[in-house]
Amino acid sequence: MSLDRRRFLASSLGLAITGPAAAQSYGQTYKVENDEGRPVANMRLPGEITGQIQELRGVTYVGPREAEVTLYEFFDYNCPWCRKAAADVTALVASDPALRIGLVHNPILSPMSAQAAKVSLAVQRKLGSAAAFAFYGQLLATKGQIDGLKALEIGAKAGVTRAELEQIADSDEVREAMRAHMNIAANLGLTATPSYVLGNTGVLGHPGVKSLAKMIGAMRRCDQIACG
């Protein structure tokens, strides 16, 4: 993966979303609030599309395969709210060992975000989900804009050489995985980062760790993000 600006901007065009994105408008299918007591935008999503998430390659998973509930986060490494979300997702992993979390790349904010996502996918491909989840937390805890160079710096500390990470990040497999992640996000109408998918419900924006925990609890009780 060449990180000079000219080559990267050219290669980034190959990540353009293919096919029509489903037009979605977010309201409030379920009456849920964020940690500050404000309404959280959410809507029902088509099951034929949400069912495709688990088939994606390159999703970073933590938690048991047989988990009753899986929370998917669609994120961008340069999204300010994704920094807060990363800390809260890490807290959920620690507090709820029965929960399964899947991290899906949606680098829609800048070419730098796509650079970082490609390195993240390379870490996942080479070292597996545990290393990729640690990388996600470390990278989103760093200050300033996140690009490929910063991602490589953090990724190389995981035990794989920088040159190998670059090679994997520039592979067709990683490029195709990135495109598939972004296509799913677009076709679900997840136009903001972070966004979440719980069952067949999409949640737009980060509601906070307490709110997410309540939604997860409701999913276990009634298979919806809010019961009653």
Side-chain angles (χ1 to χ4, degrees):
M1 180 183 62
S2 174
L3 292 176
D4 71 86
R5 181 172 176 80
R6 182 179 298 177
R7 269 194 65 186
F8 180 74
L9 288 176
S11 65
S12 293
L13 296 177
L15 297 174
I17 297 168
T18 58
Q24 306 282 1
S25 58
Y26 274 77
Q28 262 210 318
T29 298
Y30 299 99
K31 299 298 182 183
V32 291
E33 296 179 341
N34 66 15
D35 285 0
E36 286 72 47
R38 293 191 292 270
V40 175
N42 66 87
M43 69 175 294
R44 291 189 182 92
L45 301 173
E48 65 272 18
I49 300 179
T50 58
Q52 296 172 19
I53 301 174
Q54 60 188 346
E55 301 172 6
L56 291 172
R57 294 184 178 182
V59 175
T60 291
Y61 285 105
V62 289
R65 287 180 177 270
E66 67 277 10
E68 185 180 4
V69 174
T70 299
L71 171 71
Y72 289 101
E73 182 198 357
F74 289 74
F75 72 101
D76 183 303
Y77 276 116
N78 282 296
C79 154
W81 281 103
C82 292
R83 295 180 184 273
K84 169 61 175 169
D88 288 347
V89 166
T90 300
L92 281 174
V93 170
S95 65
D96 191 347
L99 175 67
R100 186 164 171 81
I101 289 175
L103 304 176
V104 187
H105 292 284
N106 191 24
I108 56 178
L109 297 182
S110 72
M112 292 184 299
S113 299
Q115 286 181 321
K118 288 170 72 176
V119 176
S120 181
L121 284 163
V123 171
Q124 200 277 342
R125 185 172 179 81
K126 176 66 178 180
L127 299 175
S129 281
F133 185 73
F135 174 88
Y136 155 85
Q138 292 163 2
L139 196 55
L140 280 167
T142 61
K143 295 181 179 179
Q145 291 185 318
I146 296 173
D147 59 9
L149 292 173
K150 188 169 290 186
L152 283 171
E153 179 185 347
I154 299 296
K157 296 177 182 178
V160 55
T161 68
R162 180 169 173 151
E164 186 174 8
L165 272 181
E166 287 194 53
Q167 183 179 19
I168 298 170
D170 200 34
S171 66
D172 289 341
E173 290 81 5
V174 163
R175 192 173 295 109
E176 289 168 5
M178 175 93 74
R179 184 180 295 115
H181 286 211
M182 296 179 75
N183 278 340
I184 289 284
N187 288 331
L188 289 173
L190 304 179
T191 56
T193 55
S195 291
Y196 300 90
V197 172
L198 270 167
N200 288 332
T201 300
V203 176
L204 192 66
H206 182 57
V209 66
K210 294 178 182 179
S211 179
L212 280 176
K214 289 179 182 178
M215 294 182 205
I216 292 162
M219 287 292 297
R220 289 176 173 142
R221 294 192 304 273
C222 64
D223 203 31
Q224 299 178 162
I225 65 170
C227 302

